Amino acid sequence: MVVPYLTMVSRDALAGTLAAPAGPVVLTVTGKIDNTNAPSAAQFDLAMLEALPGRVARVTTPWAEGVNDFKGPLTRALLEAVGARGTKLKVTALNDYSAEVPFEDFMKFDVILAVKKNDAYLPVRNQGPIFVIYPFDTTPNLYNEVYFGRSVWQVKSIEVQ
C-alpha cells in the first residue's frame, strides 16, 4: 500500500538553492552536484530531509519482523534538490560500509531515505539515522539480494559519480 505524504517546499528550494542546516548534519551529498550549502557538498539535517517530498512505505523487509511503516523523502527529490547528475551513487554508512547504486534506481523507483519507522525516528543503534528503503510494497520484484545489498542503513553520505 502506498501512502504518499506532501510537504511544503520552501521558495529557496524551488529556486535551486540550499539553505544551511539548522540542526545536526545527518547526511552529506558530494560529487557531481550543482547545489551546495557547504564547501563542495550539500549538507542536510533531519528537518531539511523531512521537508522534501516523500512517502510512507508499508513493507516487509529481511531486517525487521512483520510489516513496518518507513517514512522519509524520496531519493529522487534529494537528487533533484542538489542538482545531481551522474550514473551511479556511492551510499556510505556510519561504519564506512558502502554500496554502489545505479543513479537510475533512485530516479525510477519510489526509493526513500527512511528517517522514521512506525512513526519513531530511527536511532543509530537500530539502522538510523537514515535507511535506504526500496519500494518492496509497490514493486515486489525488487525483493531480492541485489536490492537488499543496496539498502544501506546508518547512511551518512551519498557521493554522486
Side-chain angles (χ1 to χ4, degrees), residues 6 15 42 51 61 69 85 106 150 155:
L6 300 174
T61 70
D69 289 338
R85 48 190 164 54
F106 279 17
R150 297 175 185 171
V155 174

Side-chain angles (χ1 to χ4, degrees), residues 8-19 35 44 48 51-53 77 80-82:
M8 294 299 294
V9 178
S10 72
R11 188 169 48 90
D12 286 348
L14 292 174
T17 61
L18 291 176
N35 304 325
F44 292 83
M48 293 169 71
L52 294 170
E80 289 167 2
V82 300

Side-chain angles (χ1 to χ4, degrees), residues 16-88:
T17 61
L18 291 176
V25 173
V26 294
L27 179 66
T28 301
V29 183
T30 59
K32 295 179 179 179
I33 61 174
D34 293 328
N35 304 325
T36 61
N37 59 7
S40 301
Q43 297 180 329
F44 292 83
D45 61 18
L46 276 174
M48 293 169 71
L49 290 175
E50 290 182 303
L52 294 170
R55 77 179 198 104
V56 175
R58 181 172 205 115
V59 296
T60 301
T61 70
W63 312 285
E65 286 188 32
V67 178
N68 293 279
D69 289 338
F70 289 93
K71 181 178 181 179
L74 290 160
T75 52
R76 74 174 146 267
L78 174 79
L79 295 178
E80 289 167 2
V82 300
R85 48 190 164 54
T87 58
K88 60 185 174 180

Side-chain angles (χ1 to χ4, degrees), residues 15 21 23 25-26 28 35 40 66 82 86 99 111 121 125 129 141 153 158 160:
V25 173
V26 294
T28 301
N35 304 325
S40 301
V82 300
V111 180
Y121 286 102
R125 72 181 182 285
N141 62 318
W153 58 75
I158 297 173
V160 181

Side-chain angles (χ1 to χ4, degrees), residues 93-125:
L94 292 171
N95 67 359
D96 292 327
Y97 168 83
S98 66
E100 185 175 290
V101 177
F103 189 92
E104 182 180 64
D105 275 15
F106 279 17
M107 297 303 286
K108 177 180 175 183
F109 302 119
D110 286 339
V111 180
I112 61 171
L113 297 174
V115 296
K116 289 185 176 180
K117 177 181 165 187
N118 300 325
D119 289 325
Y121 286 102
L122 287 164
V124 170
R125 72 181 182 285

